[in-house]
């Protein structure tokens, strides 16, 4: 392991070329500063798509029809695609939604192409009236919504006019902003709605089919081609003459007794939304929402600034009575996080420099680690720029952590050079000998963190997506610190050593080292006892790990509060609007003056909305008081949660499935018992089943004998019902530079008796009321049907109480399901719950691969199968501190703390490497094993203590952070601080004892 005597390493030769090293430092600082200032700023790393959403509209079809003829055949086709993990579906009136969740290690774009092909193949098996399926890759739910605008309009302005203005005037101008992403209006395209009047139709003998046929013919689009002559080609356009609403009203429907009946005589024509199923409010005022994203590589701060300027320009020409406030700007929370992290970074640098100054006893010596910090961070910025990475929450936290990590190599080099100078060597000889001797050792200890994080490159899913950039930044900074420690640091130490006045063995660290040596001596005489104690502590670590509460994410501490209020299934928009006013009264009373947004959605049978606050404490307080008050409201099941600030991980964490070949009544009964057991356990704030209980539904059956007697084709009856009630699109027209759908439908409030007044033609041209050939009955049917892999499914979603871990909550629901001894039913997981279980599996694999990687690295370095066990002794001892903190309720095991624990493993292993390297040198020089271990422990005490203090010093500011996402920083800092502290203290005794036990027979 030691270098050959008389051999000088290339690193030592650089001591004679300070100008060359100085030029390299200057270049690194110049290009690093430029790279740092030009890195794009984003909320988070890019999150790959994790599912494919397929939406198929079948206007007018009931949930059961949509499920049988659209959802199930499409699900079966998609589930067979390679790369799809599982498929869930929801069938509602007129709409099928299928979510195909992607498996790990697949290319989303490749799977998307195959799913698209499968959907197109299944299209031939769908009903002809079903619309073309809409297929989209979906990542985090808030993607492309970093900036939100509310279009507030006065009572005299229609929502349709506002929507058209946003799409024709606002969006095209916003899309000119550099680096802006997709801009979306959360409102359907306006349409020409033709509302039939059954009474007037019956009086004039007009059937729904005749109106539909007339509209289809009038709205027909024809490509007329062109005319050619000797001079050129002249295009020909065939116009349908429907350029205004008034033209629609004059469309001739039929001629009765020589009199033409226009559309205005039997229907009302209006420009409006395709269906009135939702409403938006901002601060109690009607609104239309618009959202904009940031393009890949864009800087959200720049985009936000430019969007604000563009909105200021647009407002100058906006119609009277229309306001366009920017109601949500994610750059605000990012700016606060950047400011907090920047302050944390400065504190960390200052704290680390003070620790190094105290440890070395000279200010000049502290200059080397300080310069190592600055150069490593700037060099990392260059690599980030070349790799196309951004400054985001995770990469900035990695840079803060790197401050405490990158000084390690510099500390070891400076400490060794100063020790040699104090032993009588000249500064140049001391620097040359140190870099020659330490180069392989530093390479070994630097590689431990690389090996610990290397498995992230082989994993997929959310953990890898979030933490691969985090690991990349740490590894880059660590490798650059190794290069700097072997080139720049020796020159600074050489300069500082020439002016050193510190006396050897006189400082407090030296006295602490002597005390440690005296305490270690009894343990080296009885190493088996020490190793036994270490083994017991390792067992305690393993036990604590198995019993630790587990969550998918740290505790929520974002600035946004989400409000959800679920109405009964089948609730109309009128019912939901009434509930909105009830909820708004509570919000105004508890949070007076705070702007809130709210959406009522008939298709979702509920309302959702929320607030944005200035601090996480305000958001947490609002969550508590609003949750308690809204939970008591009658008519809705309301709950409130706080945004956790992590991309792709918001929403309800509980998402479990009860599936099987059973009726929905039985599935709902089982689900309700599971929910009752969950509430009885006291561990849940909110639980709900989806779909809910069966709701009233009209069933129209054809009286075939009467229809045959009256010579009415059954297909004509079905077509008449579809024409009058389905609300399907029958054509398109151009109106004011906008293409609009034409949608015939009946009155919005139609009774069963009103349906019977519609007429249908007989085969001979006569008119028969639908009431004569149909029968209407009221029955109970589910108006939404769920499925999982084609099986009937009921979903339970919910939220645990504060302090209840997700693992405990899921186990409680699973136990409640198992206790029912259901046959033919299964209990499964979807959404965040499935992500949680998958992340637990991935992280366990990550720990296993990291542990194995460390073992192989150490075995290769020491060319021994015994020495790795000496070094790896540090790993379970370092885990004891974090796991004890978790057991005491200071944190939970989640994707953040588990990655931090992995980092502790890579960091603490260096303590054992530094010890073993010196112990082997002493043993090769002929010293007994016990004496070699004692000398190594004494010699390496100072650098190991300095490294540990520097790491803890770098973690403390993270633990004391506040503001958005402070819990994430606290979790990382707390795990690192407790892990390094417990690992340092326990390994000081366990590693020398293990070395003596493993090498005890050698002399």
């Amino acid at each position: 392991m030691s270098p050959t005597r008389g051999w000088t390493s290339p690193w030592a030769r650089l001591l004679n070329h300070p100008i060359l090293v100085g030029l390299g430092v200057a270049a690194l600082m110049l290009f690093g500063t430029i790279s740092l200032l030009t890195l794009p700023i984003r909320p988070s790393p890019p999150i790959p798509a994790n599912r494919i959403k397929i939406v198929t509209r079948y206007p007018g079809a009931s949930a059961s029809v949509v499920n049988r003829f659209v959802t199930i055949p499409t699900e079966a086709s998609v589930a067979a695609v390679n790369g799809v993990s599982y498929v869930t579906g929801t069938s509602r009136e007129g709409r099928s939604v299928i979510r195909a969740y992607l498996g790990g290690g697949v290319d989303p774009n490749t799977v998307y192409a195959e799913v698209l092909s499968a959907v197109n193949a299944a299209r031939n098996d769908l009903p002809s009236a079903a619309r073309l399926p809409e297929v989209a890759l979906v990542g985090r739910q808030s993607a492309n919504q970093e900036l939100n605008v509310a279009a507030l309009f006065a009572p005299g302005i229609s929502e349709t006019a506002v929507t058209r203005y946003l799409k024709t005037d606002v969006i095209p101008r916003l899309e000119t902003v550099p680096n802006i992403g997709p801009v979306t209006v959360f409102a359907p395209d306006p349409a020409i709605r033709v509302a039939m009047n059954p009474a007037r139709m019956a009086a004039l003998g007009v059937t729904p089919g005749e109106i539909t046929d007339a509209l289809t013919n009038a709205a027909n689009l024809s490509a007329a081609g062109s005319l050619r002559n000797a001079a050129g080609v002249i295009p020909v356009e065939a116009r349908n003459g429907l350029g205004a609403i008034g033209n629609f009203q004059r469309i001739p429907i039929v001629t009765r007794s020589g009199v033409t009946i226009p559309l205005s005589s039997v229907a009302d024509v209006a420009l409006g939304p395709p269906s009135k199923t939702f409403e938006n409010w901002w601060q109690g005022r009607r609104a239309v929402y618009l959202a904009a994203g940031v393009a890949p590589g864009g800087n959200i701060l720049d985009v936000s600034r430019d969007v604000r300027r563009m909105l200021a320009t647009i407002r100058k020409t906006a119609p009277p009575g229309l306001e366009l406030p920017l109601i949500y700007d994610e750059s605000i929370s990012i700016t606060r996080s950047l400011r907090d992290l920047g302050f944390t970074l400065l504190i960390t640098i200052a704290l680390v420099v003070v620790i190094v100054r105290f440890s070395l006893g000279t200010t000049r010596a502290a200059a080397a680690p300080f310069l190592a910090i600055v150069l490593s961070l700037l060099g990392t910025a260059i690599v980030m720029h070349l790799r196309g990475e951004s400054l985001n929450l995770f990469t900035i936290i990695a840079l803060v952590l790197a401050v405490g990590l990158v000084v390690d190599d510099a500390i070891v080099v400076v400490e060794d050079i100063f020790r040699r100078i104090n032993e009588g060597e000249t500064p140049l000889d001391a620097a040359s000998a140190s870099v020659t001797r330490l180069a392989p050792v530093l390479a070994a200890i630097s590689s431990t963190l690389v090996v610990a994080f290397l498995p992230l490159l082989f994993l997929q899913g959310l953990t890898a997506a979030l933490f691969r950039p985090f690991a990349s930044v740490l590894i880059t900074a660590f490798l650059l610190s190794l290069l700097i420690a072997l080139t720049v640091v020796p020159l600074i130490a050489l300069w500082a050593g020439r002016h050193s006045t510190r006396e050897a063995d006189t400082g407090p660290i030296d006295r602490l080292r002597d005390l440690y040596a005296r305490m270690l001596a009894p343990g080296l005489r009885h190493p088996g006892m020490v190793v036994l104690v270490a083994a017991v502590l390792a067992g305690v670590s393993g036990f604590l790990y198995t019993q630790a509460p587990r969550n998918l994410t740290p505790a929520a501490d974002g600035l946004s509060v989400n409000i959800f209020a679920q109405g009964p299934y089948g609730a109309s928009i009128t019912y939901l609007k009434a509930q909105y006013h009830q909820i708004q009264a509570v919000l105004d009373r508890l949070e007076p003056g705070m702007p809130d947004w709210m959406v009522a959605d008939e298709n979702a049978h509920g309302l959702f909305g929320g607030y944005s606050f200035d601090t996480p404490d305000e958001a947490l307080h609002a969550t508590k008081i609003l949750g308690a008050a809204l939970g008591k409201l009658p008519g809705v099941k309301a709950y409130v949660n706080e945004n956790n600030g992590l991309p792709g991980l918001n929403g309800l964490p509980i998402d479990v499935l009860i599936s099987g070949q059973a009726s929905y009544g039985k599935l709902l009964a089982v689900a309700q018992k599971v929910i009752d057991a969950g509430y009885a356990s006291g561990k849940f704030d909110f639980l709900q089943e989806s779909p809910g209980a069966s709701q009233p539904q009209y069933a129209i059956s054809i009286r075939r004998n009467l229809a045959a007697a009256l010579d009415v084709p059954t297909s004509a009856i079905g077509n008449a019902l579809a024409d009058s009630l389905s609300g399907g699109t029958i054509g398109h027209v151009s109106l004011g530079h906008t293409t609009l759908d034409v949608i015939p439908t009946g009155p919005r409030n139609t009774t069963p008796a009103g349906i019977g007044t519609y007429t249908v033609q007989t085969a001979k041209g006569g008119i028969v009321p639908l009431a004569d050939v149909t029968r209407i009955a009221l029955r109970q049917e589910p108006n939404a049907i769920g499925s999982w892999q084609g099986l009937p499914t009921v979903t339970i979603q919910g939220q645990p109480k504060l302090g209840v871990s997700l693992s405990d909550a899921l186990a409680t629901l699973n136990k409640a399901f198992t206790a029912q001894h259901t046959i033919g039913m299964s209990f499964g997981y979807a959404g965040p719950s499935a992500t949680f279980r998958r992340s637990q599996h991935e992280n366990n694999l990550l720990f296993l691969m990291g542990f194995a990687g460390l073992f192989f690295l150490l075995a290769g370095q020491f060319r021994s199968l015994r020495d790795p066990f000496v070094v790896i002794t540090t790993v379970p001892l370092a885990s004891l501190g974090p796991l004890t903190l978790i057991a005491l309720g200071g944190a939970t095991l989640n994707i953040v703390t588990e990655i931090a624990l992995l980092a502790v493993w890579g960091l603490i292993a260096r303590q054992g490497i530094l010890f073993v390297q010196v112990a082997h040198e002493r043993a090769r020089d002929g010293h007994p094993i016990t004496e070699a271990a004692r000398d190594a422990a004494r010699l390496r005490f100072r650098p190991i203590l300095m490294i540990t203090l520097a790491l803890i010093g770098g973690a403390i500011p993270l633990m004391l952070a506040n503001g958005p996402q402070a819990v994430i920083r606290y979790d990382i800092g707390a795990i690192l601080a407790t892990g390094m502290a417990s690992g340092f203290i326990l390994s000081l005794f366990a590693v020398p004892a293990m070395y003596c036990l493993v090498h005890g027979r050698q002399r």
Side-chain angles (χ1 to χ4, degrees):
M1 292 290 298
S2 61
T4 305
R5 298 183 183 278
W7 179 77
T8 303
S9 71
W11 312 112
R13 297 188 188 122
L14 285 176
L15 294 172
N16 298 316
H17 302 281
I19 295 179
L20 179 63
V21 175
L23 289 174
V25 170
L28 188 60
M29 295 186 71
L30 174 62
F31 292 109
T33 302
I34 294 174
S35 297
L36 185 62
L37 295 177
T38 56
L39 281 175
I41 299 174
R42 297 189 65 86
S44 65
I47 306 298
N50 64 350
R51 63 189 182 277
I52 297 172
K53 185 177 180 180
I54 305 154
V55 179
T56 307
R57 303 181 189 279
Y58 187 3
S62 66
S64 59
V65 170
V66 171
N67 184 61
R68 289 195 303 270
F69 297 103
V70 178
T71 303
I72 289 179
T74 306
E75 263 192 24
S77 182
V78 171
V81 172
N82 185 32
V84 172
S85 177
Y86 63 94
V87 178
T88 64
T90 303
S91 303
R92 303 181 187 275
E93 180 188 351
R95 192 167 185 256
S96 164
V97 179
I98 295 172
R99 294 175 177 85
Y101 290 84
L102 307 185
V106 301
D107 179 14
N109 293 316
T110 300
V111 179
Y112 172 77
E114 295 184 11
V115 167
L116 190 60
S117 177
V119 170
N120 289 333
R123 177 73 181 89
N124 297 327
D125 298 327
L126 303 185
S128 59
R131 305 287 291 271
L132 289 174
E134 303 167 12
V135 185
L137 272 171
V138 181
R140 62 189 182 100
Q141 292 181 345
S142 60
N144 298 322
Q145 297 182 30
E146 288 86 354
L147 302 165
N148 289 354
V149 177
L152 307 177
F153 51 96
I157 303 176
S158 71
E159 181 178 322
T160 300
V162 174
T163 302
R164 293 185 66 188
Y165 173 73
L166 292 176
K167 293 190 175 185
T168 59
D169 291 75
V170 176
I171 288 182
R173 298 171 74 178
L174 286 177
E175 288 175 339
T176 64
V177 171
N179 291 317
I180 198 169
V183 184
T184 306
V185 174
F186 290 96
D189 291 328
I192 302 294
R193 291 182 54 84
V194 179
M196 302 180 192
N197 188 310
R200 284 187 278 170
M201 291 169 60
L204 296 174
V206 177
T207 67
E210 289 173 327
I211 294 178
T212 301
D213 290 342
L215 288 173
T216 302
N217 293 330
N220 182 53
L221 299 178
S222 300
S226 59
L227 296 177
R228 289 171 171 79
N229 57 28
V233 179
I234 303 175
V236 176
E237 178 183 356
R239 298 184 177 182
N240 54 26
L242 300 177
I245 294 294
N247 296 339
F248 271 90
Q249 296 173 340
R250 291 189 289 271
I251 292 176
I253 304 302
V254 294
T255 300
R256 296 281 190 258
S257 302
V259 178
T260 300
I261 301 175
L263 181 61
S264 59
S265 298
V266 291
D268 297 319
V269 182
L271 179 65
S275 59
K276 192 61 177 175
T277 58
F278 73 93
E279 283 196 18
N280 305 322
W281 297 270
W282 167 253
Q283 291 183 278
R285 297 178 58 184
R286 291 288 310 283
V288 176
Y289 293 123
L290 181 149
V294 180
N299 188 321
I300 188 173
L301 303 185
D302 294 338
V303 174
S304 170
R305 181 195 63 236
D306 294 340
V307 166
R308 289 176 181 273
R309 291 175 179 172
M310 181 60 71
L311 285 174
T313 302
I314 294 173
R315 292 186 188 109
K316 296 177 182 178
T317 58
L322 180 66
E323 301 175 27
L324 296 171
L326 184 65
I327 61 172
Y328 177 75
D329 185 351
E330 197 165 356
S331 70
I332 295 176
S333 62
I334 293 175
T335 301
R336 292 174 182 169
S337 296
L338 287 174
R339 184 178 62 243
D340 294 340
L341 286 168
F343 184 65
T344 301
L345 183 62
L346 293 177
I347 293 177
T348 303
I349 292 175
L351 193 58
V352 170
V353 170
V354 169
I355 290 172
V356 174
R357 164 64 180 83
F358 170 76
S359 302
L360 294 177
T362 169
T363 303
R364 292 178 183 270
F370 174 75
L371 191 58
I373 292 173
V374 174
L375 293 178
S376 297
L377 295 184
L378 292 177
T380 302
I382 294 175
V383 176
M384 291 175 64
H385 186 82
L386 294 175
R387 286 173 50 87
E389 294 179 348
S390 65
L391 284 175
N392 55 65
L393 174 66
F394 292 92
T395 54
I396 295 175
I397 290 178
L399 289 173
V400 173
L401 279 179
V403 172
L405 303 181
V406 299
V407 297
D408 293 4
D409 295 338
I411 286 173
V412 173
V413 171
V414 172
E415 191 278 337
D416 196 71
I417 291 175
F418 270 70
R419 178 180 59 80
R420 289 176 178 274
I421 292 174
N422 291 327
E423 290 176 354
E425 296 186 25
T426 65
L428 181 59
D429 290 341
S432 178
S434 290
V435 295
T436 301
R437 173 173 171 270
L438 291 176
V441 179
L442 294 179
I445 65 174
S446 296
S447 59
T448 56
L449 188 69
V450 176
V451 169
F453 280 125
L454 195 61
L456 275 173
L457 301 178
F458 302 97
L459 295 182
Q460 301 294 326
L462 187 64
T463 303
L466 290 177
F467 287 98
R468 193 177 288 124
F470 174 88
S472 173
V473 169
L474 284 181
I475 291 172
T476 300
F478 218 58
L479 294 178
L480 286 172
S481 73
L482 170 64
L483 179 63
I484 293 166
L486 296 175
T487 55
V488 180
V489 170
L491 283 171
I492 300 176
L494 177 61
W495 163 75
R498 290 170 178 167
H499 303 85
S500 176
T501 58
R502 187 178 72 86
E503 298 294 331
D505 301 336
T506 58
I509 293 183
D510 300 306
R511 292 192 292 272
L512 188 62
R513 179 195 60 201
D514 294 339
L515 175 62
Y516 161 63
R518 291 194 297 272
M519 295 175 64
L520 179 63
L524 294 182
R525 290 194 294 270
H526 306 284
M529 294 297 296
V530 177
V531 172
L532 179 61
V533 172
V536 171
L537 294 177
V540 172
S541 292
F543 174 77
L544 292 177
Y545 179 77
T546 60
Q547 300 300 310
R550 289 168 164 80
N551 282 323
L552 179 58
T553 65
D557 70 334
L559 300 178
S560 299
V561 170
N562 303 314
I563 301 171
F564 299 88
Q566 190 71 37
Y569 269 75
S572 67
I573 186 64
T574 304
Y575 177 91
L576 296 175
K577 286 167 64 176
Q579 298 303 316
Y580 159 75
H581 293 296
Q582 182 182 217
I583 293 172
Q584 190 63 46
V586 175
L587 301 184
D588 292 339
R589 175 170 55 85
L590 297 179
E591 293 290 345
M594 279 298 298
D596 65 274
W597 62 275
M598 193 70 66
V599 175
D601 188 351
E602 184 179 279
N603 293 322
H605 315 291
L607 302 103
F608 57 94
Y611 288 97
S612 290
F613 290 89
D614 292 330
T615 67
D617 290 339
E618 292 178 359
L620 179 61
H621 175 71
T623 300
K624 293 179 179 178
I625 63 172
L626 292 176
L630 296 179
K632 299 176 182 178
L633 291 179
V636 290
K637 292 180 65 176
Y639 65 96
V640 182
N641 66 6
E642 185 179 0
N643 194 312
N644 61 30
L646 283 175
L649 294 174
N650 292 306
L652 291 172
I654 300 293
D655 196 344
V656 299
L657 310 171
I658 297 177
S659 307
Q661 290 292 1
S663 68
Y664 275 97
K666 291 183 179 179
L667 292 172
L668 283 169
V670 171
Q672 189 58 53
K673 290 181 181 179
V674 172
I675 290 175
D676 293 341
Y679 278 128
S681 69
K683 298 178 180 180
F684 297 90
D685 275 333
F686 176 81
L687 288 171
Q688 70 174 6
E689 74 279 7
S690 175
S694 298
Q695 299 292 319
Q697 182 180 104
Y698 288 112
I700 301 178
S701 56
I702 298 175
R703 304 166 73 177
R704 296 184 179 276
N705 291 335
L706 283 176
L710 295 173
D711 204 14
V712 178
T714 56
S715 60
I717 299 173
N719 291 336
L721 290 171
D723 292 336
S724 56
L725 299 177
S726 71
T729 300
I730 53 90
H732 312 279
V733 296
S734 178
L735 190 67
H737 307 291
T738 303
T739 300
L740 303 175
D741 291 343
V742 179
I743 301 175
T745 184
R748 179 164 181 78
N749 298 316
T750 302
T751 63
I755 296 175
T757 62
Y758 285 105
T759 56
V760 60
Q761 277 190 338
T762 66
K764 297 179 180 179
I767 302 296
V768 175
L770 282 178
D772 291 349
V773 290
T774 60
R775 180 184 294 110
I776 300 178
L778 187 65
R779 60 183 183 183
Q780 296 289 323
E781 292 285 343
N783 61 5
I785 299 174
S787 59
W788 177 84
Q789 295 292 91
L791 291 174
T793 300
V794 172
T795 301
I796 299 176
Q797 294 181 307
Q799 180 173 282
K801 285 186 178 294
L802 188 66
V804 177
S805 67
L806 183 56
S807 57
D808 186 17
L810 292 176
T812 299
L813 296 180
N814 195 352
K815 182 179 179 181
F817 172 80
T818 304
Q820 298 185 53
H821 305 291
T822 54
I823 299 176
M825 298 186 191
S826 61
F827 187 89
Y829 304 88
S833 296
T835 301
F836 166 71
R837 288 172 59 83
R838 186 167 56 249
S839 70
Q840 292 299 302
H841 171 75
E842 290 176 348
N843 291 343
N844 288 335
L845 181 61
L846 193 64
F847 284 143
L848 179 62
M849 294 173 66
F851 196 88
L854 283 175
F855 183 89
F856 294 140
L857 171 70
L858 296 169
Q861 176 191 349
F862 294 111
R863 298 177 180 85
S864 166
L865 293 179
R866 290 182 293 181
D867 289 324
F869 289 102
V870 177
V871 177
I872 286 179
T873 301
T874 61
V875 170
L877 300 179
S879 303
L880 184 61
L883 292 172
T884 301
L885 174 72
I886 291 171
L888 296 176
T892 63
L893 271 181
N894 54 65
I895 60 175
V896 173
T897 54
E898 288 170 338
I899 294 298
L901 187 60
L902 189 67
V904 169
W905 287 13
L907 296 172
I908 198 64
R910 296 176 301 171
Q911 182 170 333
I913 293 174
L914 288 173
F915 168 84
V916 171
Q917 180 253 344
V918 175
H920 278 346
E921 289 180 357
R922 290 291 191 270
R924 281 194 296 269
D925 289 341
H927 295 278
I929 292 298
T930 301
E931 183 179 335
R934 183 179 65 249
D935 291 348
R938 192 176 188 279
L939 185 65
R940 286 306 190 201
F941 178 80
R942 178 187 291 273
I944 289 175
L945 175 63
M946 292 170 63
I947 289 172
T948 303
L949 290 177
L951 285 169
I952 294 176
I956 287 176
L958 289 174
M959 297 171 61
L960 301 178
N962 53 31
Q965 290 84 49
V967 173
I968 297 175
R969 287 173 271 168
Y970 166 82
D971 277 0
I972 293 176
I975 296 300
L976 284 174
T978 55
M980 294 306 299
S982 66
F984 168 72
I985 295 172
L986 298 176
S987 298
L988 284 177
F989 299 93
V991 170
M994 188 69 174
Y995 184 85
C996 291
L997 192 66
V998 170
H999 296 279
R1001 296 182 180 180
Q1002 299 181 10
R1003 292 292 184 269

